[in-house]
Amino acid sequence: SQQGEEDPQALSIQEGENATMNCSYKTSINNLQWYRQNSGRGLVHLILIRSNEREKHSGRLRVTLDTSKKSSSLLITASRAADTASYFCATDPLGGSQGNLIFGKGTKLSVKP
Amino acid sequence: GAGVSQSPRYKVAKRGQDVALRCDPISGHVSLFWYQQALGQGPEFLTYFQNEAQLDKSGLPSDRFFAERPEGSVSTLKIQRTQQEDSAVYLCASSLGSSGRLHTQYFGPGTRLTVL
């Protein structure tokens, strides 16, 4: 069963614009991670945010976490065509097994040049 | 190798056949995970190894699915008597620590299984 729900399911923007994707989850967590998946490829880890953190930055990526609302957002600034991919949030549930992640269904991002 | 590798990349099986999917994790990584990803969905956890010990197999959908990691490195996911609903991409991931928690999981490219 999938814990996270990404919103929107699909997003199409122009190069240079910012892209915001949201993730909601159901149970308390140890941490939340965002992954990128290019078509036909494996997942690439982008960023991890712990349950006691509210915001984290990595290059053009900004992640926020609101544990009271059980939600997270991923912001990609100044998007590039190479950012075209599916983006997944994954949670490590509190009390869960040793770190197996529970993924959402993903947001499919298309960045047009 | 530099990353996690999986073989074969593509597998077509007739319903009822047995298949074996291989994962080579990053050298020295203690933890190994298998996930199943259906078309248009996110990956779903199947099983977890710490070295050669299978610590969690709660995600395996049926007793037709079996995974092993006998020497604590390479892992094999075996599916017996394949069914059409087994068609999916099977992803393997490894991480350095003894717990997947707080350690980045590095994913392989996956094996796309199609059962006819």
Side-chain angles (χ1 to χ4, degrees):
Chain A
S1 63
Q2 294 183 298
Q3 148 105 299
E5 288 283 340
E6 285 91 342
D7 166 51
Q9 290 186 343
L11 179 61
S12 182
I13 59 174
Q14 292 294 131
E15 209 166 26
E17 293 179 340
N18 295 342
T20 300
M21 289 160 270
N22 302 296
C23 167
S24 59
Y25 57 92
K26 298 173 185 171
T27 63
S28 296
I29 60 172
N30 292 299
N31 65 69
L32 184 146
Q33 304 179 38
W34 285 90
Y35 283 81
R36 183 186 75 222
Q37 186 176 38
N38 290 84
S39 181
R41 304 282 185 89
L43 286 87
V44 174
H45 180 263
L46 296 176
I47 198 164
L48 179 152
I49 186 166
R50 294 179 174 80
S51 60
N52 61 353
E53 297 177 311
R54 291 297 166 257
E55 188 171 312
K56 206 159 182 181
H57 297 254
S58 177
R60 293 184 296 112
L61 306 180
R62 173 177 168 253
V63 169
T64 62
L65 179 65
D66 187 336
T67 52
S68 67
K69 294 181 180 178
K70 291 187 169 57
S71 67
S72 173
S73 68
L74 170 67
L75 168 68
I76 304 174
T77 60
S79 63
R80 305 166 182 167
D83 295 329
T84 295
S86 291
Y87 291 81
F88 295 89
C89 69
T91 56
D92 175 8
L94 198 64
S97 179
Q98 294 183 50
N100 59 285
L101 300 172
I102 301 180
F103 287 82
K105 294 184 179 181
T107 291
K108 196 166 186 177
L109 174 66
S110 175
V111 182
K112 299 179 180 177
Chain B
V4 178
S5 61
Q6 293 184 245
S7 60
R9 289 293 313 278
Y10 303 91
K11 177 70 180 176
V12 178
K14 292 183 180 177
R15 192 173 56 181
Q17 282 186 332
D18 298 348
V19 298
L21 313 180
R22 177 186 167 107
C23 172
D24 282 82
I26 295 173
S27 178
H29 277 198
V30 169
S31 297
L32 186 145
F33 303 83
W34 283 98
Y35 293 86
Q36 180 190 58
Q37 185 176 22
L39 190 64
Q41 303 292 313
E44 293 205 10
F45 170 77
L46 293 177
T47 187
Y48 161 64
F49 289 87
Q50 180 180 320
N51 295 309
E52 69 278 3
Q54 189 175 22
L55 298 187
D56 186 349
K57 53 182 181 179
S58 62
L60 295 177
S62 78
D63 59 9
R64 296 185 296 104
F65 287 70
F66 171 76
E68 61 183 3
R69 194 187 184 198
E71 297 177 359
S73 56
V74 171
S75 177
T76 303
L77 176 67
K78 297 179 180 177
I79 309 173
Q80 297 177 323
R81 304 181 303 281
T82 52
Q83 304 294 314
Q84 284 188 319
E85 61 262 28
D86 300 335
S87 295
V89 175
Y90 290 85
L91 296 166
C92 174
S94 69
S95 69
L96 182 61
S98 58
S99 165
R101 186 157 295 134
L102 297 182
H103 293 276
T104 298
Q105 293 188 26
Y106 295 89
F107 281 79
T111 294
R112 181 178 296 276
L113 173 65
T114 303
V115 182
L116 303 176

